[in-house]
Amino acid sequence: MVTNTVAGGIVLEKLGLIEKYLPTEGDYADAEYEIVFRDYDSGPPITNQMMAGNLEFGVMGDYPLIVNGASFQATGRNETRFIAVTGYNRQGTGNGIVVPVASDVYSLEELAGKRISTPVGSASWGMTLKALRDAGLDGEIDIVDQSPPVGVANIAGNRIDAHADFGPWSEVMEFRGTGRKIFDGSEAGVPTFHGIVVRKDFADRYPEVVDAVLQATLEAQQWIEEDPMRAATQLSEWTGVAKEVLYLYLGEGGISTLDATIKPEWVEALKYDHALLQDERNIPDLDFEAWIDDSYLNRAYAASGLDYAADLERMVIPIASNPELEPAQVWFADNGIVGYDSVAEMIAAFRDASAEGREIYATYVYDQLSGIKMFGKAAFLSETPDGEVVAFMKRADSEAFIADNDGRMIALSASDEEALAMK
Protein backbone atom coordinates (compact mmCIF):
# COMPACT_ATOMS: atom_id res chain seq x y z
CA MET A 1 0.00 0.00 0.00
CA VAL A 2 2.99 2.34 0.39
CA THR A 3 2.96 4.33 -2.85
CA ASN A 4 6.73 4.60 -3.26
CA THR A 5 7.04 0.79 -3.18
CA VAL A 6 4.41 -0.25 -5.72
CA ALA A 7 6.93 -0.46 -8.59
CA GLY A 8 8.93 -2.95 -6.52
CA GLY A 9 5.97 -4.96 -5.30
CA ILE A 10 2.31 -5.04 -6.30
CA VAL A 11 2.86 -4.04 -9.94
CA LEU A 12 5.45 -6.79 -10.35
CA GLU A 13 3.04 -9.32 -8.91
CA LYS A 14 -0.14 -8.33 -10.74
CA LEU A 15 1.47 -7.84 -14.16
CA GLY A 16 3.73 -10.88 -13.83
CA LEU A 17 6.77 -8.81 -14.72
CA ILE A 18 9.49 -10.78 -12.91
CA GLU A 19 8.58 -13.90 -14.85
CA LYS A 20 9.34 -12.06 -18.10
CA TYR A 21 12.99 -11.62 -17.22
CA LEU A 22 13.98 -14.67 -15.20
CA PRO A 23 16.88 -16.59 -16.79
CA THR A 24 16.01 -19.89 -18.44
CA GLU A 25 19.21 -20.83 -20.24
CA GLY A 26 22.65 -22.14 -19.29
CA ASP A 27 22.86 -22.85 -15.58
CA TYR A 28 19.16 -21.98 -15.36
CA ALA A 29 17.99 -24.33 -18.12
CA ASP A 30 16.28 -26.65 -15.65
CA ALA A 31 15.45 -24.05 -13.01
CA GLU A 32 12.02 -23.99 -11.41
CA TYR A 33 10.87 -20.71 -9.90
CA GLU A 34 8.42 -19.98 -7.14
CA ILE A 35 7.80 -16.29 -6.49
CA VAL A 36 6.16 -15.40 -3.18
CA PHE A 37 5.01 -11.84 -2.39
CA ARG A 38 4.41 -10.77 1.20
CA ASP A 39 2.91 -7.51 2.42
CA TYR A 40 3.84 -5.65 5.62
CA ASP A 41 2.70 -2.23 6.81
CA SER A 42 6.24 -1.10 7.70
CA GLY A 43 9.87 -2.02 7.07
CA PRO A 44 11.08 -3.64 10.33
CA PRO A 45 9.06 -6.89 9.91
CA ILE A 46 10.58 -7.29 6.45
CA THR A 47 14.09 -7.18 7.91
CA ASN A 48 13.08 -9.74 10.53
CA GLN A 49 11.84 -12.07 7.79
CA MET A 50 14.98 -11.56 5.73
CA MET A 51 17.19 -12.34 8.71
CA ALA A 52 15.17 -15.51 9.31
CA GLY A 53 15.82 -16.55 5.72
CA ASN A 54 12.17 -16.27 4.72
CA LEU A 55 12.64 -13.43 2.23
CA GLU A 56 15.40 -12.78 -0.28
CA PHE A 57 14.33 -9.27 -1.30
CA GLY A 58 12.87 -6.44 0.75
CA VAL A 59 11.34 -3.11 -0.32
CA MET A 60 11.19 -0.44 2.38
CA GLY A 61 11.76 3.21 3.30
CA ASP A 62 15.01 5.03 4.05
CA TYR A 63 15.20 4.52 7.82
CA PRO A 64 14.21 0.83 7.69
CA LEU A 65 16.75 0.33 4.89
CA ILE A 66 19.51 1.55 7.19
CA VAL A 67 18.40 -0.71 10.02
CA ASN A 68 18.33 -3.59 7.56
CA GLY A 69 21.88 -3.02 6.34
CA ALA A 70 23.33 -2.36 9.80
CA SER A 71 21.53 -5.28 11.46
CA PHE A 72 22.77 -7.75 8.86
CA GLN A 73 26.35 -6.46 8.97
CA ALA A 74 26.35 -6.74 12.76
CA THR A 75 25.76 -10.50 12.56
CA GLY A 76 29.23 -10.97 11.06
CA ARG A 77 27.80 -13.69 8.84
CA ASN A 78 25.06 -12.50 6.54
CA GLU A 79 24.72 -9.15 4.80
CA THR A 80 22.32 -7.37 2.45
CA ARG A 81 22.98 -5.09 -0.48
CA PHE A 82 21.05 -1.91 -1.26
CA ILE A 83 20.52 -2.25 -5.02
CA ALA A 84 17.84 0.17 -6.28
CA VAL A 85 15.33 2.90 -5.46
CA THR A 86 11.63 2.45 -6.22
CA GLY A 87 10.43 6.04 -5.68
CA TYR A 88 11.47 9.31 -4.07
CA ASN A 89 10.62 12.88 -3.16
CA ARG A 90 13.69 15.08 -3.04
CA GLN A 91 12.23 17.45 -0.45
CA GLY A 92 10.73 14.82 1.86
CA THR A 93 7.05 15.17 1.00
CA GLY A 94 5.24 11.89 1.53
CA ASN A 95 6.05 11.89 5.21
CA GLY A 96 3.68 14.14 7.13
CA ILE A 97 2.05 14.94 10.46
CA VAL A 98 -1.75 15.01 10.59
CA VAL A 99 -4.24 16.09 13.27
CA PRO A 100 -7.96 15.29 13.45
CA VAL A 101 -9.84 17.54 11.08
CA ALA A 102 -11.75 19.22 13.94
CA SER A 103 -8.56 19.89 15.95
CA ASP A 104 -7.65 23.44 16.88
CA VAL A 105 -3.96 22.64 16.26
CA TYR A 106 -2.49 24.19 13.10
CA SER A 107 1.25 24.08 13.77
CA LEU A 108 3.90 21.78 15.19
CA GLU A 109 4.48 24.15 18.12
CA GLU A 110 0.84 23.81 19.18
CA LEU A 111 1.42 20.10 19.79
CA ALA A 112 3.60 20.82 22.83
CA GLY A 113 2.36 18.77 25.77
CA LYS A 114 0.28 16.52 23.53
CA ARG A 115 0.68 13.02 22.06
CA ILE A 116 1.75 12.05 18.56
CA SER A 117 1.72 8.50 17.22
CA THR A 118 3.92 7.09 14.47
CA PRO A 119 5.29 3.71 13.37
CA VAL A 120 8.55 3.70 15.38
CA GLY A 121 11.54 2.89 13.19
CA SER A 122 9.84 4.13 10.02
CA ALA A 123 10.75 7.03 7.75
CA SER A 124 7.98 9.14 9.30
CA TRP A 125 9.33 8.42 12.78
CA GLY A 126 12.75 9.69 11.72
CA MET A 127 11.17 12.77 10.21
CA THR A 128 9.26 13.40 13.42
CA LEU A 129 12.38 13.18 15.56
CA LYS A 130 14.21 15.68 13.36
CA ALA A 131 11.22 18.00 13.17
CA LEU A 132 10.82 18.09 16.95
CA ARG A 133 14.53 18.70 17.43
CA ASP A 134 14.56 21.52 14.89
CA ALA A 135 11.54 23.13 16.55
CA GLY A 136 13.02 22.85 20.05
CA LEU A 137 10.25 20.45 21.03
CA ASP A 138 12.42 17.42 21.77
CA GLY A 139 10.97 15.77 24.90
CA GLU A 140 7.91 18.05 24.97
CA ILE A 141 5.68 15.79 22.88
CA ASP A 142 4.93 12.20 23.84
CA ILE A 143 5.63 9.80 20.95
CA VAL A 144 3.46 6.67 20.79
CA ASP A 145 4.27 3.66 18.59
CA GLN A 146 1.31 2.92 16.31
CA SER A 147 1.04 1.18 12.94
CA PRO A 148 -0.45 3.12 10.03
CA PRO A 149 -3.92 1.51 10.18
CA VAL A 150 -4.16 2.09 13.94
CA GLY A 151 -2.95 5.69 13.70
CA VAL A 152 -5.33 6.47 10.86
CA ALA A 153 -8.24 4.98 12.81
CA ASN A 154 -7.29 6.97 15.92
CA ILE A 155 -7.19 10.21 13.93
CA ALA A 156 -10.64 9.44 12.54
CA GLY A 157 -11.92 8.69 16.04
CA ASN A 158 -10.21 11.75 17.56
CA ARG A 159 -8.33 9.44 19.97
CA ILE A 160 -4.83 10.86 19.36
CA ASP A 161 -3.65 14.46 19.08
CA ALA A 162 -1.58 13.82 15.94
CA HIS A 163 -0.25 11.00 13.79
CA ALA A 164 2.93 11.00 11.69
CA ASP A 165 3.13 8.60 8.78
CA PHE A 166 4.70 7.85 5.41
CA GLY A 167 2.99 7.98 2.03
CA PRO A 168 0.20 7.75 1.28
CA TRP A 169 -1.39 7.82 4.74
CA SER A 170 -1.42 11.59 5.35
CA GLU A 171 -3.18 12.10 2.04
CA VAL A 172 -5.53 9.18 2.70
CA MET A 173 -6.71 10.96 5.84
CA GLU A 174 -7.09 14.25 3.96
CA PHE A 175 -9.05 12.58 1.18
CA ARG A 176 -11.35 10.84 3.65
CA GLY A 177 -11.92 14.14 5.44
CA THR A 178 -10.74 12.79 8.78
CA GLY A 179 -7.32 14.45 9.06
CA ARG A 180 -5.57 17.73 8.29
CA LYS A 181 -1.85 18.01 7.62
CA ILE A 182 0.02 20.50 9.83
CA PHE A 183 3.59 19.50 8.94
CA ASP A 184 4.98 18.29 5.65
CA GLY A 185 8.11 16.16 5.43
CA SER A 186 9.72 18.74 3.17
CA GLU A 187 10.01 21.04 6.18
CA ALA A 188 12.46 18.63 7.82
CA GLY A 189 14.91 19.20 4.97
CA VAL A 190 15.75 15.53 4.36
CA PRO A 191 14.76 13.55 1.22
CA THR A 192 12.49 10.54 1.53
CA PHE A 193 12.68 7.46 -0.68
CA HIS A 194 12.08 3.72 -0.75
CA GLY A 195 14.37 1.07 -2.14
CA ILE A 196 15.24 -2.57 -2.61
CA VAL A 197 17.65 -4.68 -0.57
CA VAL A 198 18.64 -8.26 -1.31
CA ARG A 199 20.39 -10.88 0.79
CA LYS A 200 24.04 -10.97 -0.31
CA ASP A 201 24.26 -14.76 -0.25
CA PHE A 202 21.33 -15.01 -2.65
CA ALA A 203 22.69 -12.26 -4.93
CA ASP A 204 26.11 -13.90 -5.06
CA ARG A 205 24.60 -17.24 -5.99
CA TYR A 206 21.95 -15.99 -8.44
CA PRO A 207 23.03 -12.60 -9.83
CA GLU A 208 20.98 -13.12 -13.00
CA VAL A 209 17.84 -13.41 -10.89
CA VAL A 210 18.64 -10.12 -9.17
CA ASP A 211 19.10 -8.55 -12.61
CA ALA A 212 15.69 -9.92 -13.61
CA VAL A 213 13.94 -8.41 -10.58
CA LEU A 214 15.46 -5.01 -11.36
CA GLN A 215 14.54 -5.19 -15.05
CA ALA A 216 10.99 -5.94 -13.93
CA THR A 217 11.09 -2.97 -11.56
CA LEU A 218 12.22 -0.66 -14.36
CA GLU A 219 9.32 -1.85 -16.52
CA ALA A 220 6.91 -1.33 -13.62
CA GLN A 221 8.09 2.26 -13.22
CA GLN A 222 7.66 2.86 -16.95
CA TRP A 223 4.17 1.32 -16.87
CA ILE A 224 3.09 3.79 -14.19
CA GLU A 225 4.64 6.79 -15.92
CA GLU A 226 3.08 5.93 -19.31
CA ASP A 227 -0.45 6.52 -18.00
CA PRO A 228 -0.69 7.66 -14.35
CA MET A 229 -4.49 7.81 -14.38
CA ARG A 230 -4.70 4.22 -15.61
CA ALA A 231 -2.07 3.16 -13.09
CA ALA A 232 -3.84 4.93 -10.20
CA THR A 233 -7.14 3.30 -11.10
CA GLN A 234 -5.60 -0.17 -11.43
CA LEU A 235 -3.48 0.18 -8.31
CA SER A 236 -6.54 1.24 -6.35
CA GLU A 237 -8.24 -2.04 -7.23
CA TRP A 238 -5.14 -3.96 -6.16
CA THR A 239 -4.31 -2.11 -2.94
CA GLY A 240 -7.54 -0.57 -1.68
CA VAL A 241 -5.95 2.89 -1.61
CA ALA A 242 -8.22 5.49 -3.24
CA LYS A 243 -7.28 6.16 -6.86
CA GLU A 244 -7.49 9.88 -6.17
CA VAL A 245 -4.75 9.55 -3.54
CA LEU A 246 -2.61 7.42 -5.84
CA TYR A 247 -2.90 9.97 -8.65
CA LEU A 248 -1.80 12.70 -6.24
CA TYR A 249 1.43 10.74 -5.86
CA LEU A 250 1.93 9.31 -9.34
CA GLY A 251 0.38 11.89 -11.68
CA GLU A 252 1.98 14.91 -13.32
CA GLY A 253 3.70 17.08 -10.73
CA GLY A 254 2.86 14.49 -8.08
CA ILE A 255 4.59 13.61 -4.84
CA SER A 256 6.47 10.52 -6.05
CA THR A 257 9.18 10.37 -8.70
CA LEU A 258 9.81 6.86 -9.99
CA ASP A 259 13.54 6.60 -10.55
CA ALA A 260 15.61 3.52 -9.69
CA THR A 261 19.05 5.15 -9.55
CA ILE A 262 20.97 5.44 -6.28
CA LYS A 263 21.90 9.12 -6.32
CA PRO A 264 24.67 10.71 -4.23
CA GLU A 265 21.98 12.73 -2.46
CA TRP A 266 20.38 9.51 -1.25
CA VAL A 267 23.68 8.27 0.14
CA GLU A 268 24.18 11.55 1.99
CA ALA A 269 20.65 11.34 3.42
CA LEU A 270 21.18 7.74 4.50
CA LYS A 271 24.36 8.68 6.35
CA TYR A 272 22.53 11.50 8.14
CA ASP A 273 19.67 9.16 9.01
CA HIS A 274 22.12 6.55 10.28
CA ALA A 275 23.69 9.05 12.67
CA LEU A 276 20.23 9.93 14.00
CA LEU A 277 19.38 6.26 14.46
CA GLN A 278 22.62 5.59 16.30
CA ASP A 279 21.83 8.47 18.63
CA GLU A 280 18.21 7.47 19.22
CA ARG A 281 18.25 3.67 18.93
CA ASN A 282 21.93 2.75 19.26
CA ILE A 283 21.87 0.74 16.05
CA PRO A 284 25.13 -0.85 14.79
CA ASP A 285 27.64 0.78 12.47
CA LEU A 286 27.04 0.51 8.74
CA ASP A 287 29.75 0.25 6.07
CA PHE A 288 27.99 2.16 3.31
CA GLU A 289 30.59 1.41 0.65
CA ALA A 290 30.10 -2.32 1.13
CA TRP A 291 26.32 -2.13 1.50
CA ILE A 292 25.43 0.02 -1.53
CA ASP A 293 25.86 -1.83 -4.81
CA ASP A 294 24.42 -0.44 -8.03
CA SER A 295 26.18 -2.93 -10.32
CA TYR A 296 23.03 -5.02 -10.70
CA LEU A 297 21.02 -1.91 -11.57
CA ASN A 298 23.59 -0.81 -14.15
CA ARG A 299 23.22 -4.18 -15.88
CA ALA A 300 19.43 -3.99 -15.72
CA TYR A 301 19.50 -0.50 -17.26
CA ALA A 302 21.76 -1.70 -20.06
CA ALA A 303 19.62 -4.76 -20.73
CA SER A 304 16.52 -2.54 -20.86
CA GLY A 305 18.14 -0.07 -23.25
CA LEU A 306 18.06 2.76 -20.71
CA ASP A 307 20.69 5.35 -19.80
CA TYR A 308 21.72 4.94 -16.17
CA ALA A 309 24.08 7.92 -16.18
CA ALA A 310 21.37 10.24 -17.50
CA ASP A 311 18.83 9.14 -14.89
CA LEU A 312 21.46 9.40 -12.17
CA GLU A 313 21.91 13.09 -13.01
CA ARG A 314 18.20 13.85 -13.25
CA MET A 315 16.58 15.23 -10.10
CA VAL A 316 12.93 16.27 -9.80
CA ILE A 317 12.40 19.06 -7.26
CA PRO A 318 9.04 20.76 -6.68
CA ILE A 319 9.13 24.51 -7.37
CA ALA A 320 6.53 27.17 -6.72
CA SER A 321 4.49 28.30 -9.73
CA ASN A 322 6.17 25.77 -12.00
CA PRO A 323 5.52 27.03 -15.56
CA GLU A 324 5.64 23.46 -16.90
CA LEU A 325 2.64 22.39 -14.81
CA GLU A 326 -1.02 23.39 -14.98
CA PRO A 327 -1.87 25.24 -11.74
CA ALA A 328 -4.95 23.12 -11.03
CA GLN A 329 -6.72 19.95 -12.15
CA VAL A 330 -10.10 18.29 -11.75
CA TRP A 331 -10.61 14.54 -12.10
CA PHE A 332 -14.09 14.13 -13.56
CA ALA A 333 -15.80 10.73 -13.52
CA ASP A 334 -16.97 11.26 -17.12
CA ASN A 335 -14.06 13.20 -18.60
CA GLY A 336 -10.87 12.15 -16.80
CA ILE A 337 -8.22 14.62 -15.70
CA VAL A 338 -8.77 18.19 -16.93
CA GLY A 339 -6.20 20.94 -16.34
CA TYR A 340 -6.83 24.66 -15.83
CA ASP A 341 -4.74 27.79 -16.31
CA SER A 342 -5.53 29.09 -12.83
CA VAL A 343 -6.94 27.96 -9.50
CA ALA A 344 -9.82 30.40 -9.94
CA GLU A 345 -10.81 28.74 -13.25
CA MET A 346 -10.67 25.33 -11.63
CA ILE A 347 -12.93 26.45 -8.79
CA ALA A 348 -15.45 27.87 -11.25
CA ALA A 349 -15.43 24.64 -13.26
CA PHE A 350 -15.78 22.59 -10.09
CA ARG A 351 -18.77 24.60 -8.90
CA ASP A 352 -20.47 24.49 -12.32
CA ALA A 353 -19.99 20.73 -12.57
CA SER A 354 -21.27 20.25 -9.02
CA ALA A 355 -24.38 22.30 -9.82
CA GLU A 356 -24.95 20.13 -12.90
CA GLY A 357 -24.71 16.99 -10.78
CA ARG A 358 -21.58 15.68 -12.50
CA GLU A 359 -19.49 13.30 -10.41
CA ILE A 360 -16.07 14.65 -9.45
CA TYR A 361 -13.43 12.37 -8.03
CA ALA A 362 -10.93 14.99 -6.83
CA THR A 363 -9.36 18.39 -7.39
CA TYR A 364 -5.64 19.14 -7.28
CA VAL A 365 -3.65 22.33 -6.67
CA TYR A 366 -0.12 23.30 -5.65
CA ASP A 367 1.06 25.03 -2.51
CA GLN A 368 1.94 28.60 -3.43
CA LEU A 369 5.19 28.58 -1.46
CA SER A 370 6.63 25.11 -2.00
CA GLY A 371 5.04 23.80 -5.19
CA ILE A 372 3.83 20.65 -3.42
CA LYS A 373 0.80 19.06 -5.06
CA MET A 374 -2.21 18.60 -2.79
CA PHE A 375 -5.96 18.10 -2.82
CA GLY A 376 -7.96 21.22 -3.54
CA LYS A 377 -10.28 20.47 -0.64
CA ALA A 378 -7.29 20.19 1.72
CA ALA A 379 -5.87 23.58 0.71
CA PHE A 380 -6.41 26.95 2.29
CA LEU A 381 -7.66 29.00 -0.66
CA SER A 382 -7.05 32.75 -0.61
CA GLU A 383 -8.77 35.14 -3.01
CA THR A 384 -7.59 38.66 -3.85
CA PRO A 385 -9.98 41.53 -4.66
CA ASP A 386 -9.31 41.04 -8.40
CA GLY A 387 -10.38 37.42 -8.28
CA GLU A 388 -7.01 35.69 -8.24
CA VAL A 389 -6.98 32.55 -6.06
CA VAL A 390 -3.86 30.99 -4.60
CA ALA A 391 -3.58 27.79 -2.58
CA PHE A 392 -1.65 27.15 0.62
CA MET A 393 -0.94 24.01 2.60
CA LYS A 394 -0.91 25.91 5.91
CA ARG A 395 -3.46 28.27 7.38
CA ALA A 396 -0.79 30.67 8.65
CA ASP A 397 0.60 31.12 5.14
CA SER A 398 -2.87 31.77 3.78
CA GLU A 399 -3.58 34.32 6.51
CA ALA A 400 -0.31 36.13 5.82
CA PHE A 401 -1.15 36.32 2.12
CA ILE A 402 -4.62 37.65 2.90
CA ALA A 403 -3.20 40.33 5.19
CA ASP A 404 -0.72 41.45 2.53
CA ASN A 405 -3.20 41.44 -0.36
CA ASP A 406 -6.45 42.58 1.25
CA GLY A 407 -7.88 39.18 0.39
CA ARG A 408 -10.22 36.65 1.92
CA MET A 409 -10.28 32.90 2.48
CA ILE A 410 -12.76 31.02 0.35
CA ALA A 411 -14.08 27.47 0.14
CA LEU A 412 -13.69 25.19 -2.86
CA SER A 413 -17.42 24.52 -2.85
CA ALA A 414 -19.94 27.33 -2.80
CA SER A 415 -21.80 25.32 -0.15
CA ASP A 416 -18.57 24.88 1.87
CA GLU A 417 -19.14 21.12 1.95
CA GLU A 418 -15.91 20.33 0.08
CA ALA A 419 -13.67 22.73 2.03
CA LEU A 420 -11.76 20.38 4.31
CA ALA A 421 -9.27 23.03 5.32
CA MET A 422 -12.05 25.42 6.28
CA LYS A 423 -13.65 23.10 8.84
Side-chain angles (χ1 to χ4, degrees):
M1 296 178 71
V2 181
T3 312
N4 268 349
T5 70
V6 294
I10 193 77
V11 176
L12 304 183
E13 179 183 11
K14 296 299 184 180
L15 297 185
L17 296 183
I18 294 177
E19 291 87 337
K20 289 179 58 175
Y21 298 101
L22 287 171
T24 57
E25 299 177 352
D27 292 340
Y28 296 90
D30 298 319
E32 295 182 5
Y33 295 101
E34 180 184 7
I35 304 173
V36 178
F37 290 88
R38 292 180 180 168
D39 183 35
Y40 299 90
D41 58 22
S42 63
I46 300 175
T47 292
N48 293 338
Q49 291 296 311
M50 292 182 74
M51 295 193 79
N54 297 326
L55 291 173
E56 278 67 56
F57 295 86
V59 188
M60 60 192 82
D62 35 36
Y63 279 86
L65 284 168
I66 294 166
V67 174
N68 179 282
S71 298
F72 266 91
Q73 283 187 7
T75 66
R77 302 183 307 278
N78 301 319
E79 293 188 17
T80 58
R81 293 292 180 259
F82 176 35
I83 57 173
V85 169
T86 52
Y88 75 84
N89 184 281
R90 173 63 180 84
Q91 306 302 81
T93 298
N95 294 318
I97 300 176
V98 171
V99 298
V101 71
S103 172
D104 59 0
V105 171
Y106 288 87
S107 69
L108 198 61
E109 290 72 18
E110 293 176 77
L111 283 177
K114 300 182 183 295
R115 294 187 308 148
I116 181 171
S117 64
T118 188
V120 169
S122 69
S124 58
W125 170 78
M127 173 212 67
T128 301
L129 292 180
K130 185 177 188 301
L132 297 183
R133 283 185 177 183
D134 291 348
L137 294 170
D138 199 11
E140 294 190 31
I141 298 175
D142 186 24
I143 298 179
V144 180
D145 185 13
Q146 287 183 342
S147 68
V150 173
V152 170
N154 284 339
I155 285 290
N158 202 29
R159 293 186 293 270
I160 192 76
D161 298 307
H163 179 69
D165 224 321
F166 42 81
W169 294 106
S170 295
E171 292 74 25
V172 165
M173 289 181 276
E174 287 182 321
F175 181 71
R176 292 176 179 174
T178 60
R180 172 169 43 80
K181 188 186 294 186
I182 63 165
F183 186 90
D184 183 78
S186 61
E187 298 175 69
V190 179
T192 187
F193 52 90
H194 289 67
I196 304 174
V197 284
V198 62
R199 286 176 57 101
K200 181 180 180 298
D201 54 0
F202 182 87
D204 288 345
R205 187 175 183 183
Y206 304 112
E208 296 86 356
V209 175
V210 178
D211 295 347
V213 170
L214 294 185
Q215 282 183 264
T217 299
L218 293 174
E219 182 173 339
Q221 291 176 328
Q222 291 175 318
W223 178 79
I224 294 169
E225 291 177 332
E226 284 169 2
D227 190 340
M229 188 172 74
R230 173 201 63 187
T233 302
Q234 188 67 75
L235 281 162
S236 180
E237 295 178 8
W238 294 337
T239 66
V241 177
K243 62 183 179 298
E244 297 86 348
V245 174
L246 290 162
Y247 186 81
L248 177 62
Y249 271 78
L250 303 173
E252 183 183 44
I255 294 171
S256 290
T257 299
L258 305 182
D259 180 335
T261 61
I262 303 176
K263 304 181 189 298
E265 291 85 352
W266 306 161
V267 179
E268 292 177 13
L270 287 167
K271 289 180 178 178
Y272 172 88
D273 296 343
H274 179 256
L276 179 64
L277 284 168
Q278 284 201 307
D279 187 32
E280 291 288 337
R281 299 288 295 273
N282 196 32
I283 71 164
D285 293 337
L286 177 57
D287 182 346
F288 284 89
E289 288 190 10
W291 178 56
I292 298 172
D293 185 352
D294 65 357
S295 63
Y296 302 96
L297 189 58
N298 270 279
R299 290 200 298 270
Y301 258 78
S304 302
L306 302 174
D307 189 337
Y308 185 82
D311 277 3
L312 187 65
E313 290 293 322
R314 182 175 68 100
M315 179 70 77
V316 175
I317 302 176
I319 61 173
S321 304
N322 189 337
E324 297 183 2
L325 298 174
E326 296 165 319
Q329 295 175 319
V330 177
W331 189 349
F332 293 100
D334 58 3
N335 202 28
I337 303 289
V338 178
Y340 296 89
D341 292 332
S342 70
V343 178
E345 289 183 28
M346 181 275 286
I347 292 174
F350 173 86
R351 291 178 177 179
D352 288 346
S354 298
E356 295 168 4
R358 294 173 62 191
E359 184 179 3
I360 297 172
Y361 290 145
T363 58
Y364 304 97
V365 295
Y366 296 89
D367 177 56
Q368 178 76 1
L369 300 182
S370 66
I372 295 170
K373 194 168 190 176
M374 55 185 174
F375 289 117
K377 71 174 185 177
F380 292 93
L381 302 171
S382 303
E383 184 181 49
T384 64
D386 62 2
E388 178 190 11
V389 179
V390 294
F392 294 94
M393 183 175 293
K394 292 192 170 186
R395 186 178 71 169
D397 294 333
S398 178
E399 290 172 341
F401 178 87
I402 288 171
D404 291 340
N405 294 275
D406 192 27
R408 65 185 183 118
M409 196 175 296
I410 65 169
L412 174 62
S413 171
S415 66
D416 201 37
E417 292 176 357
E418 290 294 329
L420 171 61
M422 298 287 289
K423 292 181 180 179

